[in-house]
Amino acid sequence: MADKIKTIGVLTSGGDAPGMNAAIRAVTRTAIYNGIKVLGIRRGYNGLINGDISELNVRSVSGIIHRGGTILYTARCLEFKTLEGQKKAAERCREYGIDALVIIGGDGSFRGGKDMAAQGIPCVCIPGTIDNDIACSDYTIGFDTAMNTAVEMIDKLRDTTQSHDRCSVVEVMGRHAGYLALNTGIACGALVTVIPEVPCDVDHDIVKMMNDTRKTGKQHFIIIVAEGVGRAHDFAEIIEKKTGIESRATVLGHVQRGGSPSLRDRVAASRMGYHAVELLLQGQYNRVVAEKGQDIVDYDITEALTMNKSMDMDLVEIARIISL
Ligand code: ADP
Ligand code: F6P
């Protein structure tokens, strides 16, 4: 490894998230400002293994801060999970003169970063996922935009749900976590939001809630189900059977991953991208950049990967009480 970083590689990996482009832009411009050459690696670890790599300059990241997706493309690379794949990727770094990597993605991508560090290629990771499920960080790039997209969709859904006196069960992404679903549920005024972190008894928590609120005049119902809990179609079928209320299932799906990033995501991505390069300049390697309160901080990658994120139970209680 070079004493001083001269060239960095930047890649996006795992599911894309709005704001990844803003992070690539910040990394590229901060590095070039400090005299560091930047190589863009396409399609995550695939690009590293296959040498799908080209230089970025200040203009190659122009006009992207407002664009969703990632100009570097992204992928899930199975070969990289093998030691052989990791050795190939490290060899490729040496071939291209890449002294360090900036990895933008989720915790799977960070595990890959740790493996690269073990192969002698230092890295800094930036949390980019709509799921907000990175334990060491209060916030992940893409979360705000995804929540706003979900809210916009569910507001539209409410119009038709209300007109028909129906129940709409909406499946929201989040992988194994309920952060996206819970916040969306509060913002949309969902009657019930079912998340993996809180056990749900369908009869008590959904059917009884619907019957009770019906007595107070409620005639249409929005139920949000985090994908980590189960399928919206199954919930809709059970609810219709148990309540007699006509129910429809809507899976928001990948629309939640698209769109122009919100101000929150653009600013978080810009701050995190800047911080990642600053760490490399200071010789602080194998770190995960994180947001804590108002601050951008960083953690050792191994420590970050062993941390657990807890659900905000106050928020769960607020959601329950104000939906009555
Ligand atoms: P995310 O980064 O969003 O959590 P994934 O879990 O799909 O997404 O991981 C993205 C990529 O990171 C994988 O396709 C793989 O190339 C790499 N990766 C994931 N887990 C590991 C691991 N345990 N070891 C090495 N690389 C990994
Ligand atoms: O991690 C982001 C995410 O969108 C999750 O919310 C979801 O479970 C998963 O990725 C979907 O992955 P894919 O794009 O492979 O369908």
Side-chain angles (χ1 to χ4, degrees):
M1 184 187 71
D3 290 340
K4 191 174 174 307
I5 303 277
K6 293 191 193 74
T7 303
I8 61 168
V10 56
L11 61 85
T12 47
S13 168
D16 64 344
M20 279 184 163
N21 281 328
I24 295 167
R25 175 179 178 270
V27 167
T28 303
R29 291 194 173 164
T30 308
I32 291 173
Y33 177 82
N34 287 287
I36 295 174
K37 182 173 158 182
V38 183
L39 298 180
I41 299 153
R42 279 179 287 273
R43 298 182 175 84
Y45 294 111
N46 276 314
L48 207 48
I49 289 175
N50 304 327
D52 191 0
I53 297 170
S54 55
E55 188 168 351
L56 299 175
N57 60 43
V58 285
R59 289 282 74 80
S60 35
V61 292
S62 288
I64 63 166
I65 196 164
H66 62 295
R67 282 175 51 198
T70 157
I71 58 159
L72 291 177
Y73 301 86
T74 186
R76 295 202 165 97
C77 173
L78 284 183
E79 189 184 353
F80 185 77
K81 286 195 173 183
T82 65
L83 187 60
E84 201 187 322
Q86 290 154 21
K87 283 188 187 298
K88 259 195 219 171
E91 263 168 44
R92 198 68 77 188
C93 285
R94 290 187 189 102
E95 189 184 313
Y96 278 81
I98 296 173
D99 301 314
L101 288 170
V102 176
I103 295 155
I104 307 164
D107 55 1
S109 304
F110 297 177
R111 282 193 185 90
K114 195 180 157 194
D115 292 331
M116 287 308 289
Q119 293 298 322
I121 309 294
C123 67
V124 173
C125 301
I126 297 178
T129 163
I130 64 164
D131 303 334
N132 201 23
D133 61 349
I134 302 294
C136 70
S137 189
D138 289 350
Y139 192 76
T140 62
I141 298 165
F143 183 50
D144 184 62
T145 308
M147 284 188 296
N148 279 297
T149 301
V151 166
E152 193 185 329
M153 296 299 129
I154 298 167
D155 284 350
K156 289 182 201 291
L157 198 57
R158 183 181 285 282
D159 293 343
T160 168
T161 307
Q162 184 163 20
S163 303
H164 286 264
D165 292 327
R166 278 177 176 161
C167 170
S168 270
V169 181
V170 191
E171 190 177 310
V172 170
M173 274 187 172
R175 208 185 295 227
H176 307 298
Y179 308 104
L180 190 53
L182 180 62
N183 285 277
T184 300
I186 289 173
C188 292
L191 178 68
V192 182
T193 302
V194 191
I195 57 173
E197 295 84 351
V198 180
C200 170
D201 177 87
V202 173
D203 287 326
H204 181 267
D205 300 325
I206 303 181
V207 175
K208 185 172 178 304
M209 271 294 267
M210 287 173 70
N211 288 334
D212 287 353
T213 53
R214 222 173 175 183
K215 286 181 198 140
T216 64
K218 197 166 178 61
Q219 288 169 307
H220 73 281
F221 307 86
I222 305 281
I223 310 288
I224 294 187
V225 179
E227 66 173 349
V229 165
R231 297 280 150 234
H233 287 91
D234 298 337
F235 276 87
E237 212 176 287
I238 295 170
I239 288 168
E240 182 164 310
K241 206 186 272 173
K242 294 199 175 218
T243 62
I245 297 167
E246 203 178 9
S247 301
R248 294 285 186 273
T250 301
V251 180
L252 293 186
H254 290 78
V255 72
Q256 293 162 102
R257 288 233 298 260
S260 177
S262 66
L263 176 147
R264 174 83 170 93
D265 282 322
R266 295 182 202 192
V267 174
S270 300
R271 293 179 77 201
M272 288 181 180
Y274 172 86
H275 192 90
V277 176
E278 281 291 310
L279 286 172
L280 292 174
L281 287 168
Q282 292 159 15
Q284 293 195 52
Y285 303 146
N286 311 326
R287 311 288 295 171
V288 175
V289 176
E291 199 178 284
K292 274 284 153 209
Q294 302 291 311
D295 299 325
I296 302 295
V297 297
D298 51 271
Y299 294 90
D300 171 73
I301 192 167
T302 305
E303 185 195 351
L305 284 169
T306 52
M307 288 164 82
N308 289 312
K309 194 165 192 165
S310 55
M311 179 48 68
D312 180 348
M313 294 313 286
D314 286 345
L315 210 53
V316 171
E317 186 61 357
I318 290 168
R320 195 181 66 77
I321 288 174
I322 66 174
S323 65
L324 291 176

Short mmCIF file of all heavy atoms in Angstrom, two decimals, residues 13 45 80-81 86 103 105-119 121 123 125 133-135 175-176 288 301-308:
data_model
loop_
_atom_site.label_atom_id
_atom_site.label_comp_id
_atom_site.label_asym_id
_atom_site.label_seq_id
_atom_site.Cartn_x
_atom_site.Cartn_y
_atom_site.Cartn_z
N SER A 13 -22.56 -0.34 -4.74
CA SER A 13 -22.78 -1.79 -4.67
C SER A 13 -24.08 -2.10 -3.94
O SER A 13 -24.57 -1.30 -3.15
CB SER A 13 -21.58 -2.40 -3.92
OG SER A 13 -21.80 -3.72 -3.55
N TYR A 45 -18.57 -4.67 -7.21
CA TYR A 45 -17.36 -5.50 -7.18
C TYR A 45 -17.15 -6.24 -8.51
O TYR A 45 -16.03 -6.66 -8.81
CB TYR A 45 -17.44 -6.49 -6.01
CG TYR A 45 -17.40 -5.78 -4.66
CD1 TYR A 45 -18.51 -5.74 -3.83
CD2 TYR A 45 -16.24 -5.13 -4.24
CE1 TYR A 45 -18.47 -5.08 -2.60
CE2 TYR A 45 -16.19 -4.47 -3.02
CZ TYR A 45 -17.30 -4.45 -2.21
OH TYR A 45 -17.25 -3.79 -1.01
N PHE A 80 -17.42 -12.22 -5.93
CA PHE A 80 -16.64 -11.46 -4.97
C PHE A 80 -16.75 -12.04 -3.55
O PHE A 80 -15.90 -11.76 -2.70
CB PHE A 80 -17.05 -9.98 -4.98
CG PHE A 80 -16.19 -9.14 -4.10
CD1 PHE A 80 -14.92 -8.77 -4.49
CD2 PHE A 80 -16.63 -8.75 -2.83
CE1 PHE A 80 -14.11 -8.02 -3.65
CE2 PHE A 80 -15.82 -8.01 -1.99
CZ PHE A 80 -14.56 -7.64 -2.41
N LYS A 81 -17.79 -12.84 -3.33
CA LYS A 81 -17.94 -13.42 -1.98
C LYS A 81 -16.92 -14.54 -1.74
O LYS A 81 -16.77 -15.01 -0.63
CB LYS A 81 -19.37 -13.93 -1.78
CG LYS A 81 -20.38 -12.81 -1.59
CD LYS A 81 -21.68 -13.34 -1.03
CE LYS A 81 -22.64 -12.26 -0.67
NZ LYS A 81 -23.87 -12.75 -0.08
N GLN A 86 -12.02 -12.15 -4.31
CA GLN A 86 -11.43 -11.02 -3.56
C GLN A 86 -9.97 -10.82 -3.94
O GLN A 86 -9.50 -9.69 -4.08
CB GLN A 86 -11.56 -11.28 -2.05
CG GLN A 86 -13.00 -11.20 -1.58
CD GLN A 86 -13.28 -12.02 -0.33
OE1 GLN A 86 -12.37 -12.36 0.42
NE2 GLN A 86 -14.54 -12.34 -0.10
N ILE A 103 -16.43 2.82 -0.95
CA ILE A 103 -17.52 1.89 -1.26
C ILE A 103 -18.84 2.48 -0.78
O ILE A 103 -19.00 2.74 0.42
CB ILE A 103 -17.24 0.52 -0.59
CG1 ILE A 103 -15.97 -0.10 -1.20
CG2 ILE A 103 -18.44 -0.43 -0.72
CD1 ILE A 103 -15.27 -1.06 -0.29
N GLY A 105 -22.73 1.75 -0.33
CA GLY A 105 -23.69 0.66 -0.36
C GLY A 105 -24.20 0.32 1.03
O GLY A 105 -24.12 1.15 1.94
N GLY A 106 -24.69 -0.90 1.18
CA GLY A 106 -25.22 -1.35 2.46
C GLY A 106 -24.22 -2.23 3.20
O GLY A 106 -23.05 -2.30 2.83
N ASP A 107 -24.69 -2.92 4.24
CA ASP A 107 -23.74 -3.67 5.08
C ASP A 107 -23.10 -4.85 4.35
O ASP A 107 -21.97 -5.23 4.66
CB ASP A 107 -24.35 -4.07 6.42
CG ASP A 107 -25.64 -4.85 6.27
OD1 ASP A 107 -26.06 -5.10 5.13
OD2 ASP A 107 -26.22 -5.21 7.31
N GLY A 108 -23.79 -5.41 3.36
CA GLY A 108 -23.18 -6.46 2.54
C GLY A 108 -21.96 -5.91 1.82
O GLY A 108 -20.89 -6.52 1.82
N SER A 109 -22.12 -4.74 1.26
CA SER A 109 -21.01 -4.09 0.54
C SER A 109 -19.88 -3.76 1.50
O SER A 109 -18.70 -3.84 1.14
CB SER A 109 -21.52 -2.80 -0.12
OG SER A 109 -22.60 -3.10 -0.97
N PHE A 110 -20.21 -3.41 2.74
CA PHE A 110 -19.18 -3.09 3.74
C PHE A 110 -18.38 -4.36 4.09
O PHE A 110 -17.18 -4.30 4.33
CB PHE A 110 -19.79 -2.52 5.03
CG PHE A 110 -20.51 -1.20 4.86
CD1 PHE A 110 -21.15 -0.61 5.94
CD2 PHE A 110 -20.55 -0.56 3.63
CE1 PHE A 110 -21.81 0.61 5.80
CE2 PHE A 110 -21.22 0.66 3.47
CZ PHE A 110 -21.86 1.23 4.56
N ARG A 111 -19.09 -5.52 4.12
CA ARG A 111 -18.37 -6.78 4.39
C ARG A 111 -17.34 -7.01 3.30
O ARG A 111 -16.23 -7.47 3.55
CB ARG A 111 -19.35 -7.94 4.46
CG ARG A 111 -20.05 -7.98 5.78
CD ARG A 111 -20.82 -9.24 6.10
NE ARG A 111 -21.48 -8.96 7.35
CZ ARG A 111 -22.69 -8.42 7.47
NH1 ARG A 111 -23.40 -8.19 6.38
NH2 ARG A 111 -23.20 -8.14 8.63
N GLY A 112 -17.74 -6.66 2.08
CA GLY A 112 -16.80 -6.74 0.95
C GLY A 112 -15.62 -5.81 1.17
O GLY A 112 -14.48 -6.15 0.87
N GLY A 113 -15.87 -4.63 1.73
CA GLY A 113 -14.80 -3.66 2.02
C GLY A 113 -13.82 -4.23 3.02
O GLY A 113 -12.60 -4.08 2.89
N LYS A 114 -14.38 -4.91 4.01
CA LYS A 114 -13.53 -5.51 5.04
C LYS A 114 -12.63 -6.59 4.41
O LYS A 114 -11.45 -6.70 4.73
CB LYS A 114 -14.44 -6.14 6.12
CG LYS A 114 -13.74 -6.47 7.38
CD LYS A 114 -14.68 -7.07 8.40
CE LYS A 114 -13.86 -7.88 9.38
NZ LYS A 114 -14.64 -8.75 10.21
N ASP A 115 -13.21 -7.33 3.47
CA ASP A 115 -12.43 -8.36 2.78
C ASP A 115 -11.32 -7.73 1.94
O ASP A 115 -10.22 -8.27 1.84
CB ASP A 115 -13.33 -9.22 1.89
CG ASP A 115 -14.28 -10.07 2.73
OD1 ASP A 115 -13.91 -10.43 3.85
OD2 ASP A 115 -15.40 -10.37 2.25
N MET A 116 -11.61 -6.59 1.32
CA MET A 116 -10.59 -5.90 0.52
C MET A 116 -9.46 -5.41 1.44
O MET A 116 -8.28 -5.48 1.07
CB MET A 116 -11.18 -4.71 -0.24
CG MET A 116 -12.05 -5.11 -1.42
SD MET A 116 -11.23 -6.25 -2.55
CE MET A 116 -10.02 -5.18 -3.28
N ALA A 117 -9.85 -4.92 2.62
CA ALA A 117 -8.84 -4.47 3.58
C ALA A 117 -7.92 -5.64 3.96
O ALA A 117 -6.70 -5.49 4.04
CB ALA A 117 -9.52 -3.89 4.81
N ALA A 118 -8.53 -6.83 4.12
CA ALA A 118 -7.74 -8.02 4.45
C ALA A 118 -6.79 -8.38 3.32
O ALA A 118 -5.74 -9.00 3.55
CB ALA A 118 -8.68 -9.20 4.75
N GLN A 119 -7.13 -7.97 2.11
CA GLN A 119 -6.25 -8.21 0.95
C GLN A 119 -5.25 -7.07 0.75
O GLN A 119 -4.59 -6.99 -0.28
CB GLN A 119 -7.09 -8.37 -0.32
CG GLN A 119 -7.98 -9.61 -0.36
CD GLN A 119 -7.17 -10.89 -0.31
OE1 GLN A 119 -6.10 -10.99 -0.88
NE2 GLN A 119 -7.68 -11.88 0.43
N ILE A 121 -5.98 -3.73 0.57
CA ILE A 121 -6.51 -2.53 -0.10
C ILE A 121 -7.40 -1.79 0.91
O ILE A 121 -8.49 -2.26 1.23
CB ILE A 121 -7.34 -2.89 -1.36
CG1 ILE A 121 -6.57 -3.83 -2.30
CG2 ILE A 121 -7.81 -1.61 -2.07
CD1 ILE A 121 -5.32 -3.23 -2.93
N CYS A 123 -10.02 0.78 2.67
CA CYS A 123 -11.29 1.29 2.15
C CYS A 123 -11.96 2.21 3.17
O CYS A 123 -11.63 2.20 4.36
CB CYS A 123 -12.23 0.13 1.82
SG CYS A 123 -12.75 -0.75 3.28
N CYS A 125 -16.15 3.22 3.78
CA CYS A 125 -17.51 2.88 3.31
C CYS A 125 -18.49 4.01 3.63
O CYS A 125 -18.40 4.64 4.69
CB CYS A 125 -17.98 1.60 3.98
SG CYS A 125 -16.90 0.20 3.65
N ASP A 133 -30.86 0.70 7.40
CA ASP A 133 -30.60 -0.41 8.33
C ASP A 133 -29.11 -0.58 8.67
O ASP A 133 -28.68 -1.68 9.03
CB ASP A 133 -31.16 -1.72 7.73
CG ASP A 133 -30.52 -2.08 6.40
OD1 ASP A 133 -29.80 -1.23 5.83
OD2 ASP A 133 -30.74 -3.20 5.92
N ILE A 134 -28.33 0.48 8.55
CA ILE A 134 -26.92 0.39 8.93
C ILE A 134 -26.80 0.78 10.41
O ILE A 134 -27.13 1.91 10.79
CB ILE A 134 -26.05 1.33 8.06
CG1 ILE A 134 -26.20 0.98 6.57
CG2 ILE A 134 -24.58 1.28 8.49
CD1 ILE A 134 -25.67 -0.35 6.16
N ALA A 135 -26.34 -0.19 11.22
CA ALA A 135 -26.40 -0.02 12.67
C ALA A 135 -25.65 1.20 13.19
O ALA A 135 -26.11 1.89 14.10
CB ALA A 135 -25.88 -1.29 13.34
N ARG A 175 -36.17 -4.53 3.40
CA ARG A 175 -35.53 -5.82 3.63
C ARG A 175 -35.96 -6.38 4.98
O ARG A 175 -37.14 -6.59 5.17
CB ARG A 175 -34.01 -5.71 3.51
CG ARG A 175 -33.43 -7.04 3.06
CD ARG A 175 -31.94 -7.09 3.02
NE ARG A 175 -31.38 -6.20 2.03
CZ ARG A 175 -30.43 -6.54 1.17
NH1 ARG A 175 -30.02 -7.78 1.14
NH2 ARG A 175 -29.91 -5.66 0.34
N HIS A 176 -35.04 -6.55 5.96
CA HIS A 176 -35.46 -7.13 7.25
C HIS A 176 -35.83 -6.06 8.26
O HIS A 176 -36.12 -6.38 9.42
CB HIS A 176 -34.33 -8.00 7.82
CG HIS A 176 -33.85 -9.02 6.85
ND1 HIS A 176 -34.67 -10.01 6.36
CD2 HIS A 176 -32.65 -9.19 6.25
CE1 HIS A 176 -33.98 -10.76 5.50
NE2 HIS A 176 -32.76 -10.27 5.41
N VAL A 288 -16.12 3.30 8.46
CA VAL A 288 -17.47 3.51 7.91
C VAL A 288 -17.91 4.91 8.31
O VAL A 288 -17.86 5.27 9.50
CB VAL A 288 -18.48 2.47 8.47
CG1 VAL A 288 -19.90 2.80 8.00
CG2 VAL A 288 -18.10 1.07 8.04
N ILE A 301 -14.45 -0.37 10.63
CA ILE A 301 -15.38 -1.20 9.84
C ILE A 301 -15.81 -2.47 10.59
O ILE A 301 -16.99 -2.85 10.55
CB ILE A 301 -14.77 -1.50 8.45
CG1 ILE A 301 -15.82 -2.10 7.52
CG2 ILE A 301 -13.56 -2.37 8.50
CD1 ILE A 301 -15.41 -2.13 6.07
N THR A 302 -14.88 -3.09 11.31
CA THR A 302 -15.22 -4.33 12.03
C THR A 302 -16.21 -4.02 13.15
O THR A 302 -17.21 -4.72 13.34
CB THR A 302 -13.95 -5.00 12.61
OG1 THR A 302 -13.04 -5.20 11.53
CG2 THR A 302 -14.27 -6.33 13.25
N GLU A 303 -15.93 -2.92 13.87
CA GLU A 303 -16.83 -2.50 14.95
C GLU A 303 -18.21 -2.17 14.37
O GLU A 303 -19.24 -2.61 14.89
CB GLU A 303 -16.23 -1.26 15.62
CG GLU A 303 -16.99 -0.79 16.84
CD GLU A 303 -16.60 0.63 17.27
OE1 GLU A 303 -15.63 1.21 16.73
OE2 GLU A 303 -17.32 1.16 18.14
N ALA A 304 -18.22 -1.46 13.26
CA ALA A 304 -19.49 -1.05 12.64
C ALA A 304 -20.33 -2.27 12.27
O ALA A 304 -21.56 -2.27 12.44
CB ALA A 304 -19.22 -0.20 11.40
N LEU A 305 -19.66 -3.32 11.78
CA LEU A 305 -20.40 -4.50 11.32
C LEU A 305 -20.91 -5.38 12.47
O LEU A 305 -21.74 -6.26 12.24
CB LEU A 305 -19.53 -5.32 10.36
CG LEU A 305 -19.38 -4.73 8.96
CD1 LEU A 305 -18.29 -5.47 8.16
CD2 LEU A 305 -20.69 -4.76 8.19
N THR A 306 -20.41 -5.12 13.69
CA THR A 306 -20.91 -5.93 14.81
C THR A 306 -21.99 -5.18 15.62
O THR A 306 -22.57 -5.72 16.54
CB THR A 306 -19.77 -6.32 15.78
OG1 THR A 306 -19.07 -5.13 16.14
CG2 THR A 306 -18.79 -7.29 15.15
N MET A 307 -22.22 -3.93 15.24
CA MET A 307 -23.21 -3.13 15.99
C MET A 307 -24.64 -3.54 15.61
O MET A 307 -24.88 -4.07 14.52
CB MET A 307 -23.01 -1.63 15.69
CG MET A 307 -21.75 -1.07 16.35
SD MET A 307 -21.22 0.51 15.69
CE MET A 307 -22.27 1.62 16.56
N ASN A 308 -25.58 -3.29 16.53
CA ASN A 308 -26.99 -3.58 16.26
C ASN A 308 -27.79 -2.28 16.30
O ASN A 308 -27.51 -1.40 17.10
CB ASN A 308 -27.57 -4.53 17.32
CG ASN A 308 -27.01 -5.92 17.15
OD1 ASN A 308 -26.99 -6.46 16.04
ND2 ASN A 308 -26.51 -6.48 18.24
#
